[in-house]
Amino acid sequence: MADLQDEPQTGPFDDGPVALGAEDVPGTLGPSSLDRATALLAVHPVADGHNTFLWTLRQCPYHDIETRDIGVDTDIPRLRGGGVGAQFWSLLTPGEGTVSDTLEQIDIAHALIHRYPDSLSLALNAGDLADARNRGRIASFLGPAPGANVTDSLGTLRAFHQLGVRSLAPAGAPWAEQGLTAFGHEVVQEMNRLAMLLDLTGCAPAVACQIASASKTPVVVSHTAAAALTRHPENLPDEVLTALRAAGGLCMVTFCADRTGDSLHAVADHLDHVRAVAGPQCVGLGASFGTEGGTPRPTGLTDPSGYPRLIAELLDRGWPESDVALLTWGNAQRVLRDAEFTARAAQHKTPH
C-alpha cells in the first residue's frame, strides 16, 4: 500500500492534455494560470465528494463511460481530463429509498468498477486513495448511503460497511430528524468505530452542529454551498461552517446552478466564502455530476473536464497553491485518515 505522502508515479491524466470544459467560455485567464492548474492537479488531483451517476446508470444502463457520452455529464475521458483522482459515488436515491434500493445501487457500483479496472479502483480507506493515484486509477468510494435505511438496528450499518460503503447521510433518518436520539448517538459511535464518514448534507443547521459535536471524527457535507451567498435549503449558513471549522470537518462545494449561481465565477465566490469562514483546511469539492442532459450547471462547469479552469480562477484570485492542494486532495485525505485513526483507537470495543 502506498504511503499517503508519496508523490504519484503516474497521474490519472497522463493520457492527454487537460480539457478546459464542455463550454469553453471567454475569460481573462492567461495560459500561465491554466498551466499552473494543470501542473497542480497532476500532483494533487480532485477528490470529488459527490457524483450521482449510479442512479443515472440504474435508470439507463446503456451508458458507456469509457468513451465520451453526450447523454450524460460523467465519463472516464472527462474525469481524467478534469484531473479527478478520487470519486465518491452516491448511493442516494430520489425520494424515500429502501434498503433494497441501496443494495441495488451498491451492486451497480461494484459492477461499474469491475468493468473498468484500468481506470477505476475500489477504495476503502485513505491508503487506497493514495495507491489508486499512484497507479493512475480513479479511487472509487461508495457513499453516502441514506441514513434512513438504518432504523432500529446497527446490523444494517455494519452490513453496508462490509459491502464497501464508507459514508452515510443522516438527513431524513428518524434518529436525526429533530436532533440525535439515543439510537442516533449509537449510530454516530458505531460509524466512528467503523471509520465511516457522517455526511451532513440536508441536515437542519442545529442537527448538523449537534452531530459535528457528537462525532469523534471529522464530518463532511458532500455537496452544498454558502447560504450567505445563495439562499437554498441545503446550503450551509455560517454557523454550520463555523462548527465544521471547530470540528475539523469538510464542506464540499457543489456545481448545481440553483445553489451557487450560473457561472464559474459564482462557484469560485462560494469557495472563497467557505474558505474564509471555515478555513482552508475545511473546504473541498463535491460537484454532483453524474446526471443526464438538462441539469442546470454553471457556465464552464458543465462536466468534470472544467475543473482546471476553476482551479486557474482560484489561482488568479490569489489562492496559494498550498490551499488549492488542500481543496482538491489534501482535506479529503485528512478526513479519511482521521476517521481511520479514531477507528483504530476504538477497535478494542465490542460492537453493539
Side-chain angles (χ1 to χ4, degrees), residues 189-211:
Q189 182 179 0
E190 184 67 356
M191 288 184 66
N192 288 171
R193 191 187 71 82
L194 294 171
M196 292 179 70
L197 300 179
L198 284 146
D199 181 351
L200 306 186
T201 302
C203 288
V207 176
C209 292
Q210 183 188 14
I211 295 175

Side-chain angles (χ1 to χ4, degrees), residues 35-45 311 315 320-322 324-325 328:
D35 288 345
R36 288 174 63 202
T38 301
L40 190 147
L41 287 169
V43 181
H44 307 283
I311 299 308
L315 292 171
E321 290 191 5
S322 58
V324 176
T328 60

